Amino acid sequence: MKTILKLTPVVAVVGLLAACGTTMEQRAATGAIGGAVAGQAIGGDTGATVAGAAIGAVAGAATTPQRPR
């Protein structure tokens, strides 16, 4: 139950920040920040923070910005 309570705000913030930016570098940076926050909240140690940042950076760089229709 405590894990769910920890993850709820983290998932909300990561969802809002996921892949923000217009260039690949900006999306990778916001993904890394969100991933680091999520990794720290979930794992609570440096290894989890670094892993979360790496996963977030790759996911952010792999996304494409939405273009208005």
Side-chain angles (χ1 to χ4, degrees):
M1 184 67 167
K2 287 184 180 182
T3 303
I4 293 172
L5 292 176
K6 280 185 186 179
L7 290 179
T8 301
V10 171
V11 170
V13 169
V14 170
L16 290 172
L17 293 177
C20 291
T22 55
T23 66
M24 183 178 69
E25 291 84 7
Q26 290 173 340
R27 293 188 307 273
T30 57
I33 292 168
V37 170
Q40 180 62 34
I42 294 168
D45 63 356
T46 304
T49 304
V50 172
I55 293 168
V58 170
T63 60
T64 57
Q66 292 185 356
R67 293 190 172 89
R69 295 180 187 192

